[in-house]
Amino acid sequence: MVSLSQTSMAGEPKHSNQLEQFILLAKTAKGPALITIINQLLEAPGVYVFGEFLELPCIQELFKGPNEGYSQVLNMFAYGTYQDYKVFRDTLPPLTETQKNKLRHLTIVNLAANVQVIPYSLLLRDLEVDSVRQLEDLVIEAVYANVIRCKLDQCKQQLEVDACIGRDVRSEGMCHIASVLALWCSGCESVSASIEQEVGRVSQCREKHLQSLHQLETEVGNITRMVLTSTSSQEMDPLGVGEQEGEGTVARAERRHTSLPIISKAKTFTNQRH
């Protein structure tokens, strides 16, 4: 697989500046001079948008005169494909090879805007080239013209699209774009609302978790204090020791009281013998 990419796309300021130069020239041109400017525009490298040029009053006038074919060619470069040119080729001014290749580049862009993987067979048919080698050379030209970023999969015989430029949009297509954008905005609002709800649920769960954790810490603290208090009591007066000591004292006292009469009797007996 051959990866083909450039760091920029056509339609950036430098290409817009090129189009503006042709627009300025066309505003003051008439007749053959205007036709020359149109041909130069269609061959100019880096210029792949033509809608603004088409809107010029002098270009609109061409639709009503003998040079109508040039305005139709411009219209085809703005919105059409190479297949469209083939259909009306006999009624349109001839294109140079450079102009044909630019229209082929725009046809690749048209396909890339709808599908991400384009079979070679489809490209060979729509671009009307004779071999895979010519097709790949044409794709490489389009990449270096900054109209597409893609990979050529020679094993699978297909073109894998990463990105492409945007083409001109007809005025009647603006309503569709507006509706698509409105639908997209509505979807974004729904997602945003769902995210806010999820954040609220997460906050509630976090608050409950913190409360449970605080309650658990309180209970652990209480149990710890109870254990420490019980341990301290046992160290000061082990279980039963006080009672045993009390009983021992009484017993010893009783023994002392019992032994005293015995000793007294012994002394009395001794004195009597003497």
Side-chain angles (χ1 to χ4, degrees), residues 7-222:
T7 56
S8 60
M9 283 291 189
E12 292 184 351
K14 62 179 182 179
H15 302 113
S16 298
N17 291 337
Q18 288 180 306
L19 180 60
E20 289 175 2
Q21 293 173 7
F22 284 103
I23 291 173
L24 291 174
L25 291 172
K27 286 180 177 179
T28 57
K30 294 181 180 180
L34 182 59
I35 301 304
T36 301
I37 291 173
I38 292 173
N39 282 322
Q40 291 175 349
L41 175 65
L42 297 179
E43 288 193 351
V47 180
Y48 285 88
V49 289
F50 308 91
E52 189 175 357
F53 191 86
L54 268 170
E55 293 175 358
L56 292 174
C58 58
I59 300 300
Q60 292 297 315
E61 287 294 324
L62 289 178
F63 284 97
K64 305 173 185 178
N67 293 320
E68 177 187 1
Y70 287 96
S71 59
Q72 291 179 351
V73 168
L74 276 170
N75 200 66
M76 195 165 295
F77 270 73
Y79 311 115
T81 64
Y82 192 78
Q83 287 294 311
D84 297 328
Y85 170 74
K86 284 175 58 180
V87 172
F88 299 100
R89 178 164 35 194
D90 295 336
T91 60
L92 295 175
L95 299 180
T96 65
E97 197 62 30
T98 301
Q99 292 170 345
K100 288 180 181 178
N101 284 342
K102 179 181 281 193
L103 188 54
R104 288 185 174 109
H105 296 166
L106 290 167
T107 303
I108 295 174
V109 171
N110 209 63
L111 292 169
N114 298 307
V115 293
Q116 190 172 5
V117 178
I118 309 173
Y120 276 16
S121 57
L122 180 59
L123 291 167
L124 288 168
R125 185 197 69 190
D126 286 4
L127 302 181
E128 199 181 39
V129 291
D130 298 329
S131 66
V132 171
R133 176 60 183 273
Q134 290 180 349
L135 171 62
E136 291 179 345
D137 288 343
L138 192 63
V139 171
I140 292 171
E141 286 179 9
V143 170
Y144 278 96
N146 286 322
V147 299
I148 190 172
R149 289 201 299 264
C150 61
K151 300 180 183 68
L152 288 171
D153 193 333
Q154 296 169 320
C155 295
K156 295 182 180 180
Q157 296 284 283
Q158 63 187 20
L159 179 69
E160 298 180 4
V161 179
D162 295 326
C164 65
I165 63 170
R167 296 195 64 183
D168 293 295
V169 180
R170 296 180 187 272
S171 57
E172 56 267 26
M174 297 302 294
C175 293
H176 174 68
I177 293 176
S179 63
V180 170
L181 290 175
L183 183 62
W184 179 78
C185 290
S186 176
C188 290
E189 291 175 356
S190 299
V191 171
S192 178
S194 299
I195 291 173
E196 289 179 359
Q197 292 178 358
E198 190 65 26
V199 169
R201 285 195 292 267
V202 171
S203 298
Q204 292 177 357
C205 291
R206 180 178 180 274
E207 187 65 27
K208 290 180 180 179
H209 174 71
L210 290 176
Q211 291 176 357
S212 300
L213 183 61
H214 178 69
Q215 184 178 357
L216 180 61
E217 289 176 348
T218 302
E219 292 177 357
V220 169
N222 292 336

